[in-house]
């Protein structure tokens, strides 16, 4: 068979990186929704998605 490889310990700090402290997903979503509501009175969902750089299917799911 062969010789076993020697044990090599993992480096500390590996894994998922922590989120940025200033990142708030709920606040970003709230801002996008307020902008979409303001635009909704005069525009279609496709136009809103284009203006806000969103995927149109995301607008339709709300």
């Amino acid at each position: 068979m062969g010789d076993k490889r020697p044990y090599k310990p993992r480096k500390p700090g590996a894994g998922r990186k922590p989120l940025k402290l200033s990142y708030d997903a709920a606040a970003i979503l709230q801002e996008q929704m307020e902008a979409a509501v303001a635009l909704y009175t005069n525009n279609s969902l496709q136009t809103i998605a284009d203006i806000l750089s969103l995927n149109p299917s995301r607008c339709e799911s709300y």
Side-chain angles (χ1 to χ4, degrees):
M1 284 256 173
D3 295 329
K4 284 187 170 182
R5 294 186 305 200
Y7 176 74
K8 186 176 180 182
R10 294 183 181 201
K11 295 179 182 179
R16 184 179 292 214
K17 293 182 180 181
L19 294 175
K20 295 178 182 177
L21 295 177
S22 62
Y23 181 79
D24 186 5
I28 293 170
L29 179 61
Q30 185 64 31
E31 289 173 9
Q32 288 179 341
M33 291 303 296
E34 288 172 0
V37 168
L39 293 170
Y40 185 72
T41 56
N42 298 326
N43 299 304
S44 68
L45 291 178
Q46 181 64 50
T47 306
I48 294 169
D50 292 340
I51 293 170
L52 298 177
S53 300
L54 295 174
N55 185 345
S57 63
R58 182 173 179 173
C59 292
E60 293 171 1
S61 65
Y62 292 116

